[in-house]
Structure formats: C-alpha cells, structure tokens
Amino acid sequence: MTTSSSERGVSLGMPELPAPAYPDDVRARLEADAREIIARYPDSRSALLPLLHLVQAQEGHVTRTGMRFCADVLDLTTAEVTAVATFYTMYRRRPSGDYQVGVCTNTLCAVMGGDAIFEELQEYLGVGNGETTDDGKITLEHIECNAACDFAPVVMVNWEFFDNQTVQSAKRLVDDLRIGRTVSPTRGAPLCTFKETARILAGFPDERDGAVEASGSAGPASLVGLRLAKGETVPARVVHPRDGGPHDEPHGRAVHEPSPTEHLSSHDAPQDTSASDPAHPAGPTAEEGE
C-alpha cells in the first residue's frame, strides 16, 4: 500500500511567485539612473554592484523586485543577481534602519572594548546582531576590521567613523541618532541616511553642501608610517601612562604637545576609551576556567 505525501507529513509547497515589478514611475526613474551607471562600463554586467546599491537606495534593502530589475536591465538571470547580492554583506536582504551602526569586534577593537560596546548596545537597544529597533532608526551589527586599528575601539554609522569609543559614548551616539540630533563623525563626511549612502555608493555625486570637502582622509595616527616613508620628520611625542604615573622624558628632546584639534589614537594616552574606564574594563572580568 502506498501513502501520499500529505499522509507522510511532507509538504511539497508552492513555487515562489515572480517578484512584483516597480510602479511605472519608479521604474522609469531607476531606468534612467541605470543607463547612466551602465554607460561607465565596457561590459554591462560589470555594472551589477553599483546597480544593487541603486535599488538598495530605493527601498533601504535589496528586495526581490530590485534584483529582478537588475536582471532585466543587464540581461542576466535572477539567479546570477541573487548570487552576487547574497555574497556581499553591504547589501541588506531585509528592511534596515536609517542608520547602520556597526561595532568592530575584530581583534584589536575587541580587546580595547569593542566586545563590551556591542554587548551593551544589544541590551540597551533590545536587538540582536543584524536586527533593527522598533522605530526603524537603528540596525545594529558587529563588523569585521575597518582598517582603523589605531583608533580602536571603532564604531561605524553608515560607513562613517566614530573613533575611540566607550560604552557610554556609544550609547549617547545611538540615543542622538534616534531622536534626530545632529552627530558628526570623528573624520569623514557628515552623516546621511542609509538610503542616501547607498545612492552615493552607486556612484552618484554627493550633492550636500560641503560634504565632499569634509570627507578628508585617514587620521594622523594612520599616516605616520606614510610620512616616515616619504622622509618627513615626525615630531617626537612623549606619551603619558594611562594611570598618570611617573615617566621619564628623553633628555634633550622636545616634547610634542598636541593641539586641541589634533585627533589622537586611542593608544596615545590619556584618552577616555573603554581601556581607561574602570567602570567598563576592556579585558575579561573573570579568570579563565571560572
């Protein structure tokens, strides 16, 4: 005697319906932008990455409709587009917040307090990794190295740097973002929303007044090695211990006193980072094995 699939508790399911198309006015606008992007490349399929940013700028994440649009304008299959969209972590696959708050938990940031910041923000915001707050403002995630180890621990908001963070400063940062208060990155362009960031990443000009000029470059601590390689003389600097204890200054050497506007690394103590905050130690709180 044979049994049916339903009797065996197996559900074959229904095939997923094709993704809906964009409304005509939205599609017309996106097609005009897509033509501009595609014209930059000798091979049209090379435009796929910026096109995915373009559709992400439309809805805040890469939807099935967005992937269908990319496939249509590039003459690709939706499977080819999906393979790329799911490979790169900068493409969100579900609704995201206005501000993507990424806490670096790679080695140096982690030991300098990144792990403590990420753990505290999850509890403070009531979300897990990759989840969004109920008000749609913040998506929290842990991220890999941002190549800013000399400013550890680093938090990024929509890919702009917030250096030398502590648990408390990170909590103030997300509070300000949620209430709409203007916040300024440690270095880099002024903040804009995630959708606006996605459009810029698609290759369109940042039309905000002063944004391009403010984008700047790496911080001074990151550029010391480059300056030395070019034969420039880097002023000597005596770094005071974090605990403020006694120290010996080199005999006959001028001590460099940084100006208030000079942006120091978190390793140029004394800086108020999690490593120097007794209430939020960066290291383990219990001996191994306990």
Side-chain angles (χ1 to χ4, degrees), residues 12-269:
L12 299 179
M14 293 293 292
E16 191 172 36
L17 295 174
Y22 284 122
D24 290 343
D25 59 330
V26 173
R27 184 177 179 91
R29 174 168 47 81
L30 291 177
E31 283 179 342
D33 288 339
R35 285 193 294 269
E36 183 177 337
I37 293 172
I38 294 169
R40 302 172 191 159
Y41 301 92
D43 184 345
S44 63
R45 69 182 298 146
S46 298
L48 178 54
L49 295 182
L51 280 178
L52 285 169
H53 283 299
L54 176 66
V55 297
Q56 184 158 255
Q58 175 62 34
E59 298 176 86
H61 66 295
V62 178
T63 63
R64 292 175 58 237
T65 297
M67 288 189 282
R68 174 183 170 184
F69 172 82
C70 292
D72 289 345
V73 298
L74 295 177
D75 195 26
L76 299 174
T77 66
T78 54
E80 289 174 305
V81 175
T82 302
V84 174
T86 57
F87 182 82
Y88 293 102
T89 58
M90 290 180 75
Y91 301 124
R92 309 303 185 195
R93 297 298 310 285
R94 56 185 178 180
S96 296
D98 293 333
Y99 299 99
Q100 308 283 316
V101 175
V103 182
C104 182
T105 55
N106 214 305
T107 306
L108 187 54
C109 277
V111 300
M112 291 293 289
D115 281 349
I117 291 172
F118 183 61
E119 180 179 349
E120 182 71 18
L121 286 184
Q122 287 185 93
E123 181 176 349
Y124 187 64
L125 295 172
V127 297
N129 182 43
E131 295 180 351
T132 302
T133 55
D134 291 339
D135 58 9
K137 294 292 185 180
I138 304 289
T139 296
L140 179 68
E141 63 176 348
H142 75 81
I143 51 180
E144 292 301 313
C145 184
N146 293 305
C149 301
D150 41 357
F151 300 116
V154 173
V155 172
M156 297 196 83
V157 180
N158 294 350
W159 311 113
E160 300 294 349
F161 288 100
F162 289 79
D163 299 324
N164 300 326
Q165 292 293 294
T166 66
V167 168
Q168 293 305 315
S169 68
K171 290 168 71 173
R172 288 194 300 270
L173 172 60
V174 296
D175 281 344
D176 288 345
L177 293 171
R178 296 184 79 177
I179 65 176
R181 182 175 293 147
T182 299
V183 298
S184 298
T186 309
R187 50 202 161 93
L191 277 186
C192 56
T193 67
F194 184 62
K195 289 183 179 180
E196 292 169 329
T197 301
R199 183 169 176 83
I200 295 169
L201 291 174
F204 292 97
D206 188 341
E207 298 177 349
R208 296 173 296 153
D209 290 339
V212 175
E213 292 78 7
S215 60
S217 62
S222 303
L223 299 176
V224 170
L226 179 61
R227 292 171 59 191
L228 290 172
K230 290 181 176 180
E232 298 180 24
T233 300
V234 179
R237 174 160 58 210
V238 174
V239 176
H240 295 242
R242 290 186 185 278
D243 59 8
H247 62 283
D248 295 325
E249 297 181 357
H251 178 69
R253 179 181 296 176
V255 177
H256 171 64
E257 293 295 340
S259 70
T261 59
E262 181 175 358
H263 175 47
L264 302 181
S265 161
S266 59
H267 308 298
D268 292 328

